[in-house]
Amino acid sequence: MNREDRILFACVRQEFQPRHRKTVEALAGPAVRWEHVADTAEWHGVAPIVGANLRRCDPDALGMPAELAERMEVAAFENALLKERRAQRLAEGLVQLREVGLEAMLLKGAALDLLVYEEPWVVRSGDVDLLLRPLPGFRPGPEEKQVRLSLYRSGVECDLLEHHDVNMNGVLPVSFERIWRDARPVQVRGVEAWVMAPEDLLISLCINSCRKRFFRLKGLFDMAETVRRLHLDWGALGAKARDYSCEGIVYVALLAAGATVGCDLPDGALAELGVPPLRARLLRALVSWSLRVSSLAAVRGPALSLLLPYASYRWDQAWRSFRFALTRPPRPVARTATP
């Protein structure tokens, strides 16, 4: 783990305490490649929160070039504007979906904006993800399809009845009916939507972290902050992870978050996942080894692209995922609902 990565790990948090500031200032100095810090933060989607926390440090102790500090500050303003536009588009889209007989559950960043982030601008999100289901009396037709196509084009990814990011394109037997049954309603600018139960939300973030090779900073931030800010029933979470056959994925994701940005797990939380002891030791060793031999920049390349994700799968899932990666059939833009 190089000096730049350690600075980023200390800065990727909403509660930037004096001990974190001291850690950053102790790591800073002429040897730090600040351009590398800024570039990595931007690529990992965390430049706004990293920049905000670096501004809380002593600038003389940091020795960060003024133009880089300004660049990261601008990133926060730009992201705030982008998130405001997306929030407005999301609210409008939820209204349109209800008008054609569909209701929506917010996934990933859209849910975290409401439940976990102190301010929506703290991290960047690639798009908005929604899980849709028909309302009573729904009838599919051209209006419904047009609304969904319009949302896709504006960066709102809405899948009907299931979502490919949550079940990893069919690799995981995730019960979307169960997710809906445990979900709770929220208001998005006066429009009703749904969010997952905290346990399902964290599981979905762990699955998404696996899709992004586990060491994507935004994913680590999302998991750690969700654990810190939401009340979680770890027994229920472990049972669901086993039922969805993703206990290894959740285990590795939480280990990775704890070993990097810090993740405040209660005693026995990982044990609730029911990962067999021998496999748990292997996964711990792989996470530790990955941190020793790689850097955050390597998340883009092959070093961490296959080893940890495939180690976290069950053997049959690894084969299905590998087969899908080889074929990668084009996903349909919209799935037709049945009444």
Side-chain angles (χ1 to χ4, degrees):
M1 191 186 302
N2 60 44
R3 187 183 296 258
E4 290 80 13
D5 287 356
R6 291 163 66 191
I7 288 174
L8 287 165
F9 291 147
C11 287
V12 179
R13 64 190 69 249
Q14 294 185 109
E15 295 180 8
F16 192 68
Q17 300 175 1
R19 60 188 175 90
H20 301 126
R21 177 177 56 79
K22 291 178 181 178
T23 296
V24 172
E25 292 174 354
L27 289 166
V32 173
R33 298 168 294 168
W34 288 109
E35 185 78 26
H36 178 85
V37 171
D39 288 346
T40 304
E42 287 178 355
W43 190 83
H44 282 254
V46 294
I49 190 65
V50 169
N53 287 333
L54 286 175
R55 288 194 297 275
R56 298 177 185 177
C57 299
D58 181 355
D60 293 332
L62 290 184
M64 184 178 184
E67 61 272 17
L68 288 181
E70 182 179 355
R71 171 177 144 193
M72 299 186 79
E73 187 171 3
V74 169
F77 285 114
E78 290 177 344
N79 196 43
L81 179 60
L82 176 64
K83 285 291 189 88
E84 174 60 27
R85 289 174 176 170
R86 284 188 175 171
Q88 184 61 38
R89 181 67 185 107
L90 173 60
E92 294 170 356
L94 292 173
V95 171
Q96 294 169 343
L97 287 167
R98 282 194 164 268
E99 289 174 348
V100 297
L102 296 168
E103 61 181 344
M105 182 183 298
L106 311 180
L107 304 180
K108 298 190 297 185
L112 297 172
D113 282 345
L114 288 177
L115 304 177
V116 173
Y117 301 156
E118 291 180 355
E119 298 289 345
W121 58 261
V122 294
V123 291
R124 294 182 63 90
S125 299
D127 49 27
V128 175
D129 293 274
L130 301 178
L131 172 64
L132 307 181
R133 71 173 175 180
L135 288 162
F138 168 77
R139 292 292 183 270
E143 291 184 359
E144 169 256 339
K145 185 175 181 180
Q146 184 56 44
V147 167
R148 294 178 60 205
L149 284 171
S150 176
L151 288 172
Y152 268 106
R153 292 183 183 126
S154 64
V156 180
E157 191 175 89
C158 44
D159 285 9
L160 184 62
L161 301 179
E162 61 183 35
H163 197 284
H164 67 285
D165 284 351
V166 179
N167 65 12
M168 298 184 73
N169 298 295
V171 170
L172 301 176
V174 173
S175 172
F176 290 95
E177 290 184 2
R178 184 175 180 181
I179 288 175
W180 274 108
R181 188 169 63 246
D182 295 344
R184 58 190 178 92
V186 292
Q187 293 288 314
V188 180
R189 302 198 171 192
V191 185
E192 185 174 283
W194 294 83
V195 292
M196 291 179 172
E199 295 77 25
D200 282 319
L201 177 59
L202 181 58
I203 289 172
S204 74
L205 296 176
C206 293
I207 292 169
N208 194 54
S209 178
C210 177
R211 293 177 56 247
K212 302 295 176 63
R213 309 172 190 179
F214 286 118
F215 290 105
R216 184 82 183 271
L217 274 172
K218 182 183 178 299
L220 297 169
F221 173 86
D222 288 344
M223 291 183 293
E225 294 295 331
T226 297
V227 169
R228 290 186 184 114
R229 292 175 176 268
L230 299 186
H231 175 73
L232 292 153
D233 182 333
W234 289 98
L237 186 145
K240 285 186 174 184
R242 293 191 298 275
D243 289 345
Y244 301 161
S245 299
C246 64
E247 68 279 2
I249 291 172
V250 175
Y251 190 87
V252 171
L254 295 178
L255 279 180
T260 53
V261 301
C263 192
D264 304 325
L265 299 178
D267 292 341
L270 291 177
E272 293 287 355
L273 295 169
V275 177
L278 182 60
R279 188 182 183 206
R281 287 198 296 272
L282 172 63
L283 294 176
R284 283 183 178 274
L286 286 175
V287 170
S288 177
W289 175 83
S290 298
L291 286 170
R292 286 199 308 271
V293 302
S294 300
S295 68
L296 288 172
V299 176
R300 304 192 205 187
L304 295 175
S305 61
L306 296 175
L307 181 59
L308 270 176
Y310 277 90
S312 70
Y313 297 154
R314 296 184 180 185
W315 70 267
D316 56 323
Q317 296 166 353
W319 166 242
R320 289 200 299 272
S321 178
F322 180 69
R323 185 174 58 187
F324 178 83
L326 289 178
T327 57
R328 283 194 174 274
R331 293 183 60 249
V333 175
R335 174 178 167 183
T336 301
T338 55

